[in-house]
Amino acid sequence: LRRREEELRNEKLRAMMSQMRPHFIYNTLTSIYELCRENPSQAMRVIDDFTAYLQANFNAITATELIPFSEELRHTRTYLAVETALHGDDLSVDYDLETVAFRLPPLTLQPIVENAVKHGIAPMTGTGTLTIRSEGAQDAYVITAEDDGAIYFSSGTTGFPKAILHAHASLTHAAKVEQAHHGQTRDDVF
């Protein structure tokens, strides 16, 4: 169990690092620098959003449980707020959220949204629209990020079978029970 947890933690670290592209960080910091002169109050909002975005990525490294979709959506919205600061009015976001009452692994929605922005909307001239959808099927939850950009396959969809999410939650609970039984804390395990 410890080896699998270590592997999972390393996978999360790699996923988080892939999300923190140096180019995105550089562009964000450059935009904040320019906003400090032109619009200090907007610069403060972007700093708040960027900080929340980074904090969520750092928290994902150590996350061992599924998180509520609403939390992942909040992280995605902070990412989109930063992107809006970079792209101005060229990014419009619509939400079609049929269901939000489910849990999923951290850093699930934000990467497919980022892909839609980076490959679909950013290359466009004019305003691009990103639509984020969530729906529950009989045996799965489906999240879609769809853009109206120039690239043909510019939408991303990911689905989570309810049974697998339930099994993950059960395994996480079992690991906590095992830790409590042996007197270990989470810090002892990692």
Side-chain angles (χ1 to χ4, degrees):
L1 181 62
R2 284 187 180 179
R3 181 180 170 165
R4 179 62 188 137
E5 287 175 347
E6 180 68 26
E7 289 172 3
L8 182 60
R9 191 176 73 184
N10 288 335
E11 287 176 31
K12 288 179 184 179
L13 179 59
R14 281 191 295 276
M16 196 250 355
M17 295 308 290
S18 73
Q19 292 307 305
M20 296 184 56
R21 302 177 328 247
H23 190 257
F24 173 70
I25 292 171
Y26 174 79
N27 285 345
T28 301
L29 292 174
T30 300
S31 294
I32 290 170
Y33 178 79
E34 291 172 9
L35 285 172
C36 285
R37 287 186 298 209
E38 299 169 10
N39 189 340
S41 61
Q42 184 181 4
M44 289 172 50
R45 284 190 303 276
V46 174
I47 289 170
D48 285 344
D49 291 331
F50 189 54
T51 302
Y53 166 80
L54 291 174
Q55 185 65 48
N57 279 346
F58 293 140
N59 289 342
I61 293 172
T62 58
T64 59
E65 298 181 8
L66 300 174
I67 62 170
F69 176 70
S70 59
E71 189 175 320
E72 181 70 4
L73 186 60
R74 184 173 36 255
H75 177 238
T76 301
R77 284 182 170 153
T78 61
Y79 164 76
L80 288 168
V82 172
E83 282 291 352
T84 300
L86 298 176
H87 295 286
D89 294 331
D90 291 342
L91 175 61
S92 172
V93 183
D94 294 331
Y95 297 91
D96 180 10
L97 306 174
E98 179 184 299
T99 184
V100 295
F102 63 97
R103 300 174 78 77
L104 72 170
L107 297 179
T108 300
L109 174 61
Q110 188 271 328
I112 63 173
V113 166
E114 181 177 341
N115 191 55
V117 170
K118 181 179 177 183
H119 298 290
I121 294 177
M124 292 177 61
T125 55
T127 300
T129 300
L130 171 68
T131 303
I132 298 173
R133 290 188 179 86
S134 69
E135 57 187 316
Q138 182 176 357
D139 59 351
Y141 297 105
V142 178
I143 311 168
T144 305
E146 184 177 64
D147 64 79
D148 61 357
I151 298 178
Y152 182 69
F153 294 108
S154 58
S155 66
T157 300
T158 189
F160 301 95
K162 292 178 182 178
I164 290 175
L165 292 178
H166 178 71
H168 178 82
S170 296
L171 286 173
T172 300
H173 176 71
K176 284 184 171 183
V177 169
E178 180 70 18
Q179 289 171 11
H181 178 69
H182 292 291
Q184 295 175 317
T185 65
R186 183 174 155 193
D187 292 334
D188 294 333
V189 175
F190 295 104

